[in-house]
């Protein structure tokens, strides 16, 4: 559901998505000293800098349409605090937002954004 939300609200087309278990994530994250298999949550890589958990969400928020673009402002909150909220949401996300039984199939127009 989160990925579909991002796709539907994306204003910046210069963004790619990769599974943490995929080749692309392994390659780029290994160059940053991160093991994608032991990482949890969202990771956002921009210009060689790694953003994790809530900070990744805030950076991705900056790529979305208004008003979601305002999420980037929340980046001023210290990670210790914002990651506590992130972890609570992560723990309860399926109960609050539901769970899809199937993986999403991206429309042809977005296939180039999904990296292997």
């Amino acid at each position: 559901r989160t990925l579909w939300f991002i796709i539907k609200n994306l204003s910046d087309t210069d963004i790619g998505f990769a599974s943490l278990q995929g080749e692309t994530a392994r390659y780029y994250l290994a160059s940053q000293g991160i093991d994608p298999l032991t990482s949890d949550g969202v990771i956002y890589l921009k210009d060689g800098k790694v953003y994790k958990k809530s900070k990744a969400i805030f950076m991705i928020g900056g790529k979305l349409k208004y008003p979601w673009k305002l999420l980037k402002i929340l980046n001023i909150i210290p990670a210790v605090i914002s990651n506590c909220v992130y972890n609570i949401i992560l723990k309860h996300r399926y109960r609050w937002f539901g769970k899809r039984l199937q993986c999403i199939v991206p429309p042809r127009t977005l296939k180039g954004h999904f990296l292997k």
Side-chain angles (χ1 to χ4, degrees):
R1 292 187 188 269
T2 305
L3 185 55
W4 270 123
F5 175 83
I6 292 170
I7 289 169
K8 287 190 321 191
N9 290 286
L10 202 56
S11 68
D12 186 341
T13 58
D14 188 26
I15 190 169
F17 303 97
S19 165
L20 288 176
Q21 296 80 24
E23 297 170 28
T24 303
R26 281 197 308 257
Y27 173 79
Y28 284 105
L29 295 178
S31 72
Q32 299 293 322
I34 298 171
D35 181 359
L37 299 177
T38 60
S39 297
D40 61 336
V42 177
I43 297 175
Y44 180 76
L45 183 62
K46 173 77 174 169
D47 298 329
K49 184 163 167 107
V50 175
Y51 302 88
K52 295 181 180 180
K53 296 186 175 190
S54 62
K55 296 302 181 179
I57 295 295
F58 301 153
M59 294 300 291
I60 293 167
K63 303 279 187 180
L64 302 180
K65 296 174 187 168
Y66 183 84
W68 303 109
K69 184 179 276 303
L70 297 176
L71 281 172
K72 191 168 182 177
I73 295 170
L74 297 176
N75 215 6
I76 64 170
I77 299 171
V80 173
I81 296 169
S82 61
N83 282 338
C84 284
V85 174
Y86 176 90
N87 289 332
I88 291 169
I89 294 170
L90 192 65
K91 182 179 178 182
H92 299 287
R93 70 188 182 274
Y94 295 130
R95 186 169 5 135
W96 294 344
F97 306 111
K99 183 176 181 179
R100 287 188 180 264
L101 298 177
Q102 298 174 334
C103 293
I104 64 170
V105 177
R108 286 182 185 255
T109 56
L110 293 174
K111 284 221 185 235
H113 295 280
F114 287 83
L115 313 172
K116 296 187 186 250

